[in-house]
Amino acid sequence: MSLTQFARDIEEGLSSNPKRLSSKYFYDAVGDKLFQQIMNLEEYYLTRAELNIFQTQKERFLELFDSGGAFRIVELGAGDGMKTKVLLKYFQGEGADFSYCPVDISANVLNDLERNVKAEIPELKIEPLAGDYFKVLADLKFKNHKRNIAFFLGSNIGNFRHDLAVDFLSSIQSNLHKGDYLLIGFDLKKDPKRILAAYNDSQGVTKAFNMNLLTRINNELDGDFKLENFDHNPIYDPLTGECRSYLIAKKEQDVCLNAIQKKIHFRQWEPIFMEVSKKYDLSEIEALANSTGFKVVENLFDDEKLFADSIWEVV
Ligand code: AVJ
């Protein structure tokens, strides 16, 4: 029997010391719903802040994007497109010459998005592309050339540790042309209490979001994790800007993953590292752009300066 990538990654992470799981596996059907709930939480300011940037600065976005000729917005990981629609509607109303290419690995997500965007903006030129980000960008690179503007929103870059962020952004850069843009969302360093509260909400939705990965492992790998034996423990380190989440074993125990015939031992109070959500300051954003073949064109902020949408140009 050949193991899935999921099985291999889970086995590898839980056999490591310290133990770790990848937050990219949070997003099964239940995880998607929980993340939707997180975005509506009072404590989770990120989504509202980025929406505020789009609502208050749509004119500026268009000035920056529309400087000569048609352009193509390529949204990496489009989701429900809720924030992007604000810009698309405005650009269309202004008669801008552009098209919209949402990219996602899930064709289902793209079908829903296309239906939903077309209902609101019937004249929009939309070309959904299912597949891996780099492959889609590489294909576009050799198509009829328009200026590409890649969108990577929502502080998704925060889930990468520094060296992986550099690799990821360098790969995006090498699949764009000189002069193309990248619009990238960064959550900014701020009062540590406010950051921690966003990942430790009072209703326990973020805890459920993390715990759901144990449930997913139980379901998909015939595991016997007992959720009541684990607690959710997020911490924020103001020095690195890393908010990190751990699930902590409350007692010594063994967990069996029957589908891969694996027994995992937990010491009492042993952590599993689940997720990093890195917060940036402006000097780090600039250094990251410069080290990956971009230059910062402009940073746009929400009214409270909680979040930045940074516009980068390929040099
Ligand atoms: C989707 C990666 C932006 O890190 O803030 C929300 C995921 N994790 N609450 C983030 C998340 C816990 C989120 N991103």
Side-chain angles (χ1 to χ4, degrees), residues 211 226-231 248-253:
M211 289 288 194
K226 293 183 186 64
L227 302 202
E228 66 275 15
N229 287 350
F230 290 85
D231 200 7
I248 314 271
K250 291 197 275 187
K251 54 178 175 186
E252 184 176 16
Q253 62 198 284

Side-chain angles (χ1 to χ4, degrees), residues 23-256:
S23 59
K24 77 173 180 220
Y25 291 123
F26 284 3
Y27 303 88
D28 64 356
V30 175
D32 284 344
K33 289 234 168 63
L34 288 166
F35 184 57
Q36 289 288 341
Q37 270 179 267
I38 287 174
M39 288 192 288
N40 288 316
L41 291 170
E42 185 53 40
E43 292 107 326
Y44 195 76
Y45 56 84
L46 290 80
T47 312
R48 261 173 283 119
E50 195 171 39
L51 181 61
N52 176 271
I53 298 176
F54 283 15
Q55 286 167 335
T56 59
Q57 293 179 87
K58 29 188 188 308
E59 296 85 357
R60 186 66 191 138
F61 280 109
L62 186 55
E63 278 169 16
L64 290 164
F65 295 167
D66 205 9
S67 57
F71 62 96
R72 180 197 283 124
I73 293 172
V74 185
E75 182 164 14
L76 306 174
D80 68 357
M82 188 264 284
K83 290 172 286 193
T84 308
K85 266 193 296 191
V86 173
L87 292 186
L88 299 176
K89 228 182 236 173
Y90 176 73
F91 292 178
Q92 193 71 44
E94 293 296 298
D97 184 9
F98 76 107
S99 59
Y100 175 53
C101 288
V103 182
D104 207 288
I105 342 179
S106 157
N108 278 335
V109 167
L110 289 175
N111 285 336
D112 291 351
L113 177 66
E114 184 174 17
R115 209 170 320 112
N116 156 314
V117 172
K118 272 196 175 145
E120 278 189 57
I121 320 170
E123 332 75 69
L124 181 74
K125 285 186 243 164
I126 175 169
E127 190 192 344
L129 298 170
D132 168 80
Y133 296 169
F134 302 125
K135 182 150 184 349
V136 167
L137 285 174
D139 291 348
L140 281 176
K141 191 168 177 176
F142 297 105
K143 266 177 71 167
N144 60 324
H145 184 57
K146 285 188 207 172
R147 173 196 260 174
N148 287 312
I149 301 176
F151 279 25
F152 193 56
L153 304 179
S155 183
N156 283 320
I157 194 66
N159 278 174
F160 296 80
R161 299 201 94 144
H162 180 74
D163 48 338
L164 293 178
V166 168
D167 290 350
F168 175 80
L169 294 168
S170 302
S171 303
I172 293 203
Q173 195 269 4
S174 62
N175 287 299
L176 293 170
H177 287 105
K178 186 170 161 44
D180 282 349
Y181 280 173
L182 172 64
L183 170 66
I184 175 166
F186 289 97
D187 192 19
L188 297 175
K189 288 182 175 165
K190 59 181 64 62
D191 184 345
K193 294 191 203 63
R194 183 142 190 205
I195 292 173
L196 193 55
Y199 295 89
N200 200 17
D201 65 277
S202 55
Q203 294 175 51
V205 184
T206 311
K207 173 176 177 175
F209 185 55
N210 278 261
M211 289 288 194
N212 179 56
L213 181 47
L214 303 187
T215 304
R216 179 172 181 189
I217 294 170
N218 282 348
N219 293 338
E220 294 184 25
L221 300 179
D222 190 15
D224 64 359
F225 271 108
K226 293 183 186 64
L227 302 202
E228 66 275 15
N229 287 350
F230 290 85
D231 200 7
H232 174 236
N233 182 234
I235 60 163
Y236 176 64
D237 177 356
L239 205 59
T240 60
E242 286 184 349
C243 191
R244 291 191 300 275
S245 293
Y246 297 91
L247 290 178
I248 314 271
K250 291 197 275 187
K251 54 178 175 186
E252 184 176 16
Q253 62 198 284
D254 287 322
V255 171
C256 292

Side-chain angles (χ1 to χ4, degrees), residues 239-284:
L239 205 59
T240 60
E242 286 184 349
C243 191
R244 291 191 300 275
S245 293
Y246 297 91
L247 290 178
I248 314 271
K250 291 197 275 187
K251 54 178 175 186
E252 184 176 16
Q253 62 198 284
D254 287 322
V255 171
C256 292
L257 308 180
N258 294 302
I260 55 173
Q261 287 150 30
K262 183 92 193 166
K263 187 158 88 183
I264 292 153
H265 183 73
F266 284 88
R267 286 171 271 117
Q268 190 177 28
W269 305 123
E270 184 174 351
I272 313 173
F273 172 45
M274 303 294 287
E275 184 181 42
V276 59
S277 299
K278 183 176 158 48
K279 313 307 171 191
Y280 284 81
D281 62 31
L282 296 181
S283 64
E284 291 173 300

